[in-house]
Amino acid sequence: MIYFDNAATTFTKPKIVREALFEAILKYGANPGRSGHLLSQKAAEAVYSVRQKVCSFFGAEDPAKVAFTLNCTLAANMVMKGVLCPGDHCIVSCLEHNAVMRPLHSLSQAGIEYDVAQVHSGSAEETAEEFERLMKPKTKLVFCMHASNVWGLRLPIEKIGEVCRRHGVLFAVDAAQSAGVLPIHMQAMNIDFLCVAPHKGLYAPAGTGILIYNTDRPLKTIIEGGTGTFSASFEQPEELPERLESGTINTPGICALSAGVDFVKKLSTQRIHSYEIGLVRRLYSGLSDIAGVKLYTDIPTEENNVAVLSFNITGMQSEEVAMHLSDDGFAVRAGLHCAPPAHSFMGTMEEGAVRVSPSVFNSAEEIDAFICCIRDYLRKKS
Amino acid sequence: MDKPLIMVGSVTYAIKGRDILRRMGYKANIERTPGSLNRVGCGYSVTVDDLDINRAKKILEESNIKVYGISGGESI
């Protein structure tokens, strides 16, 4: 099967990631930081080295403020529910994933207000102005995605971060679609919280998320439990990262994540991004020549997009198209992509869209084959 | 004489503190804080062989590592 669903999770994983996972299962099998024996300490050292690597990769300040979560969705929940109190105001973009919208909706029923900032494709200044326009004295948090998992549109987080800094508002970024592909420097971009899905652009196995903290503002916890520290107390410890890591962390997954970061660094995010954008530009050009295919954005560019392209075939539901593509050997995702605001934005709530998201493991030939498949399908239907 | 221990919050801070001291050229290690010294249960300590324990404590605190006590002094 030709896999074009990397926005859901990258597949295949690089050899060094697979090997690191297996090696960790063999060498770092003890529970890190729980026991005093050498195996536990060895596992803890391995995990700490990944904290350092991730801290450096994302331009954060302190490896002790790199927490490993179950996934990026939990990281987003931890931020929103940890920061916001009844009476607070939050600003999000009009493209957000349900990882942000569902907890926010839940919080809105408990007295938190929020507003939605319009994204202006291709105009970073206008998009940043939308966020600034919505600022209120009680605005406590801006939470936005770095790039849309449906349309590939890139948000100007540098400018939004600057707006937040000027207003003294916390800034959280959902980097699920951008980590490993776009440059992210938390300190330079005034990002207070970064939520990462390593199983996407960092080519790590699923089962671990990252929450990086770049502020001294404390987070209320939403999960409490054993941390291997201050065990005689029922109070959740104050210090990061253990405060946010109750229970046993995914040591093999974290070690494999480290190898994923190495993989991305070796290729460089710039080269990865450039290559992937080249593929979706090729796809866009091919699809735009086929009568009956509807595209919704301008041709992707490195400046304004990540390598995610969604389309429809006029008169058809997106799931039907995706099923045909699957029968023909192409893995894509159709429907609403857990991001109904993004579909409201484009007017595709009814039919959804067919999403194509290549990775470094895809090729121009595979893109051409996909285009031929769509062309042949429409020819047979007409 | 018991080895001097600098008690910190978790294995993360123990490793961080150890690495800071090692980068400064000192022979530092980490170990589990003995239960007899740790009234709140479960913690890690930094040990350092070739530096005055109070000086080592100051270095860690200046690096934003909270020190909960040193052995031989008050227990936590």
Side-chain angles (χ1 to χ4, degrees), chain A residues 93-98 101 116 151 336 338-346 349:
Chain A
S93 84
C94 63
L95 300 173
E96 296 304 320
H97 190 278
N98 276 341
M101 294 313 299
V116 178
W151 309 112
L336 297 181
C338 294
H343 287 278
S344 292
F345 176 74
M346 281 296 189
M349 278 293 284

mmCIF file of all heavy atoms in Angstrom, chain A residues 93-98 101 116 151 336 338-346 349:
data_model
loop_
_atom_site.group_PDB
_atom_site.id
_atom_site.type_symbol
_atom_site.label_atom_id
_atom_site.label_comp_id
_atom_site.label_asym_id
_atom_site.label_seq_id
_atom_site.Cartn_x
_atom_site.Cartn_y
_atom_site.Cartn_z
ATOM 1 N N SER A 93 -7.532 29.476 17.263
ATOM 2 C CA SER A 93 -7.709 29.796 15.844
ATOM 3 C C SER A 93 -8.964 29.098 15.310
ATOM 4 O O SER A 93 -9.546 28.229 15.979
ATOM 5 C CB SER A 93 -6.490 29.352 15.037
ATOM 6 O OG SER A 93 -6.599 27.986 14.692
ATOM 7 N N CYS A 94 -9.328 29.433 14.096
ATOM 8 C CA CYS A 94 -10.525 28.869 13.465
ATOM 9 C C CYS A 94 -10.258 27.510 12.832
ATOM 10 O O CYS A 94 -11.120 26.966 12.138
ATOM 11 C CB CYS A 94 -11.074 29.830 12.413
ATOM 12 S SG CYS A 94 -9.918 30.110 11.049
ATOM 13 N N LEU A 95 -9.068 26.960 13.029
ATOM 14 C CA LEU A 95 -8.705 25.692 12.378
ATOM 15 C C LEU A 95 -8.419 24.570 13.370
ATOM 16 O O LEU A 95 -7.977 23.495 12.961
ATOM 17 C CB LEU A 95 -7.445 25.906 11.510
ATOM 18 C CG LEU A 95 -7.555 26.929 10.379
ATOM 19 C CD1 LEU A 95 -6.179 27.142 9.727
ATOM 20 C CD2 LEU A 95 -8.559 26.480 9.326
ATOM 21 N N GLU A 96 -8.709 24.793 14.644
ATOM 22 C CA GLU A 96 -8.206 23.880 15.672
ATOM 23 C C GLU A 96 -8.764 22.463 15.598
ATOM 24 O O GLU A 96 -9.900 22.215 15.187
ATOM 25 C CB GLU A 96 -8.477 24.451 17.079
ATOM 26 C CG GLU A 96 -7.765 25.757 17.389
ATOM 27 C CD GLU A 96 -6.259 25.688 17.223
ATOM 28 O OE1 GLU A 96 -5.659 24.668 17.591
ATOM 29 O OE2 GLU A 96 -5.674 26.687 16.736
ATOM 30 N N HIS A 97 -7.937 21.555 16.052
ATOM 31 C CA HIS A 97 -8.270 20.131 16.188
ATOM 32 C C HIS A 97 -9.099 19.934 17.447
ATOM 33 O O HIS A 97 -9.035 20.754 18.378
ATOM 34 C CB HIS A 97 -6.939 19.371 16.291
ATOM 35 C CG HIS A 97 -7.024 17.889 16.214
ATOM 36 N ND1 HIS A 97 -7.354 17.115 17.304
ATOM 37 C CD2 HIS A 97 -6.782 17.030 15.188
ATOM 38 C CE1 HIS A 97 -7.327 15.841 16.947
ATOM 39 N NE2 HIS A 97 -6.986 15.752 15.683
ATOM 40 N N ASN A 98 -9.828 18.837 17.506
ATOM 41 C CA ASN A 98 -10.631 18.545 18.706
ATOM 42 C C ASN A 98 -9.779 18.317 19.955
ATOM 43 O O ASN A 98 -10.307 18.356 21.065
ATOM 44 C CB ASN A 98 -11.544 17.337 18.467
ATOM 45 C CG ASN A 98 -12.829 17.716 17.768
ATOM 46 O OD1 ASN A 98 -13.225 18.882 17.760
ATOM 47 N ND2 ASN A 98 -13.498 16.740 17.175
ATOM 48 N N MET A 101 -10.317 21.803 20.902
ATOM 49 C CA MET A 101 -11.703 22.270 20.973
ATOM 50 C C MET A 101 -12.543 21.512 21.995
ATOM 51 O O MET A 101 -13.398 22.101 22.658
ATOM 52 C CB MET A 101 -12.375 22.187 19.596
ATOM 53 C CG MET A 101 -11.783 23.142 18.568
ATOM 54 S SD MET A 101 -11.541 24.836 19.171
ATOM 55 C CE MET A 101 -13.225 25.317 19.573
ATOM 56 N N VAL A 116 -12.626 32.875 18.821
ATOM 57 C CA VAL A 116 -11.958 32.194 17.718
ATOM 58 C C VAL A 116 -11.387 33.220 16.745
ATOM 59 O O VAL A 116 -12.120 34.068 16.228
ATOM 60 C CB VAL A 116 -12.960 31.270 16.987
ATOM 61 C CG1 VAL A 116 -12.274 30.596 15.804
ATOM 62 C CG2 VAL A 116 -13.518 30.231 17.938
ATOM 63 N N TRP A 151 -5.838 21.400 6.003
ATOM 64 C CA TRP A 151 -5.532 22.205 4.817
ATOM 65 C C TRP A 151 -4.051 22.516 4.681
ATOM 66 O O TRP A 151 -3.642 23.138 3.704
ATOM 67 C CB TRP A 151 -6.357 23.502 4.837
ATOM 68 C CG TRP A 151 -7.808 23.229 5.056
ATOM 69 C CD1 TRP A 151 -8.544 23.552 6.152
ATOM 70 C CD2 TRP A 151 -8.687 22.517 4.171
ATOM 71 N NE1 TRP A 151 -9.834 23.093 6.005
ATOM 72 C CE2 TRP A 151 -9.957 22.467 4.803
ATOM 73 C CE3 TRP A 151 -8.544 21.936 2.908
ATOM 74 C CZ2 TRP A 151 -11.055 21.844 4.221
ATOM 75 C CZ3 TRP A 151 -9.637 21.321 2.328
ATOM 76 C CH2 TRP A 151 -10.875 21.276 2.977
ATOM 77 N N LEU A 336 -13.818 14.347 8.530
ATOM 78 C CA LEU A 336 -13.621 15.647 9.168
ATOM 79 C C LEU A 336 -12.283 15.755 9.921
ATOM 80 O O LEU A 336 -11.989 16.795 10.504
ATOM 81 C CB LEU A 336 -14.778 15.951 10.123
ATOM 82 C CG LEU A 336 -16.164 16.082 9.471
ATOM 83 C CD1 LEU A 336 -17.230 16.401 10.521
ATOM 84 C CD2 LEU A 336 -16.167 17.151 8.385
ATOM 85 N N CYS A 338 -11.121 15.014 12.694
ATOM 86 C CA CYS A 338 -11.174 15.496 14.087
ATOM 87 C C CYS A 338 -10.982 17.005 14.167
ATOM 88 O O CYS A 338 -10.527 17.518 15.198
ATOM 89 C CB CYS A 338 -10.103 14.813 14.955
ATOM 90 S SG CYS A 338 -10.364 13.057 15.161
ATOM 91 N N ALA A 339 -11.299 17.709 13.106
ATOM 92 C CA ALA A 339 -11.098 19.163 13.092
ATOM 93 C C ALA A 339 -12.291 19.846 12.433
ATOM 94 O O ALA A 339 -12.153 20.485 11.376
ATOM 95 C CB ALA A 339 -9.796 19.523 12.386
ATOM 96 N N PRO A 340 -13.473 19.752 13.029
ATOM 97 C CA PRO A 340 -14.652 20.379 12.417
ATOM 98 C C PRO A 340 -14.502 21.877 12.162
ATOM 99 O O PRO A 340 -15.001 22.370 11.148
ATOM 100 C CB PRO A 340 -15.786 20.065 13.392
ATOM 101 C CG PRO A 340 -15.141 19.588 14.638
ATOM 102 C CD PRO A 340 -13.805 19.045 14.268
ATOM 103 N N PRO A 341 -13.777 22.638 13.027
ATOM 104 C CA PRO A 341 -13.641 24.064 12.698
ATOM 105 C C PRO A 341 -12.950 24.288 11.354
ATOM 106 O O PRO A 341 -13.296 25.216 10.617
ATOM 107 C CB PRO A 341 -12.786 24.602 13.849
ATOM 108 C CG PRO A 341 -13.023 23.686 14.981
ATOM 109 C CD PRO A 341 -13.187 22.338 14.351
ATOM 110 N N ALA A 342 -11.980 23.432 11.035
ATOM 111 C CA ALA A 342 -11.267 23.587 9.762
ATOM 112 C C ALA A 342 -12.207 23.368 8.584
ATOM 113 O O ALA A 342 -12.103 24.020 7.545
ATOM 114 C CB ALA A 342 -10.090 22.618 9.696
ATOM 115 N N HIS A 343 -13.149 22.457 8.763
ATOM 116 C CA HIS A 343 -14.109 22.196 7.685
ATOM 117 C C HIS A 343 -15.169 23.271 7.618
ATOM 118 O O HIS A 343 -15.621 23.637 6.537
ATOM 119 C CB HIS A 343 -14.699 20.799 7.852
ATOM 120 C CG HIS A 343 -13.714 19.719 7.500
ATOM 121 N ND1 HIS A 343 -13.492 19.336 6.196
ATOM 122 C CD2 HIS A 343 -12.890 18.965 8.271
ATOM 123 C CE1 HIS A 343 -12.557 18.389 6.184
ATOM 124 N NE2 HIS A 343 -12.176 18.145 7.421
ATOM 125 N N SER A 344 -15.567 23.819 8.751
ATOM 126 C CA SER A 344 -16.473 24.971 8.738
ATOM 127 C C SER A 344 -15.819 26.129 8.009
ATOM 128 O O SER A 344 -16.455 26.844 7.235
ATOM 129 C CB SER A 344 -16.808 25.411 10.161
ATOM 130 O OG SER A 344 -17.586 24.442 10.804
ATOM 131 N N PHE A 345 -14.542 26.298 8.249
ATOM 132 C CA PHE A 345 -13.768 27.379 7.637
ATOM 133 C C PHE A 345 -13.847 27.308 6.111
ATOM 134 O O PHE A 345 -13.982 28.333 5.440
ATOM 135 C CB PHE A 345 -12.319 27.262 8.123
ATOM 136 C CG PHE A 345 -11.351 28.239 7.526
ATOM 137 C CD1 PHE A 345 -11.371 29.569 7.919
ATOM 138 C CD2 PHE A 345 -10.396 27.834 6.610
ATOM 139 C CE1 PHE A 345 -10.462 30.476 7.391
ATOM 140 C CE2 PHE A 345 -9.485 28.731 6.079
ATOM 141 C CZ PHE A 345 -9.509 30.049 6.471
ATOM 142 N N MET A 346 -13.772 26.082 5.578
ATOM 143 C CA MET A 346 -13.745 25.904 4.114
ATOM 144 C C MET A 346 -15.095 25.533 3.529
ATOM 145 O O MET A 346 -15.204 25.390 2.313
ATOM 146 C CB MET A 346 -12.753 24.801 3.735
ATOM 147 C CG MET A 346 -11.322 25.222 3.748
ATOM 148 S SD MET A 346 -10.940 26.489 2.523
ATOM 149 C CE MET A 346 -9.156 26.496 2.696
ATOM 150 N N MET A 349 -18.134 20.869 5.747
ATOM 151 C CA MET A 349 -18.689 20.066 6.838
ATOM 152 C C MET A 349 -19.571 18.931 6.313
ATOM 153 O O MET A 349 -19.676 17.880 6.925
ATOM 154 C CB MET A 349 -19.509 20.949 7.787
ATOM 155 C CG MET A 349 -18.674 21.699 8.795
ATOM 156 S SD MET A 349 -17.872 20.597 9.986
ATOM 157 C CE MET A 349 -19.254 20.175 11.051
#
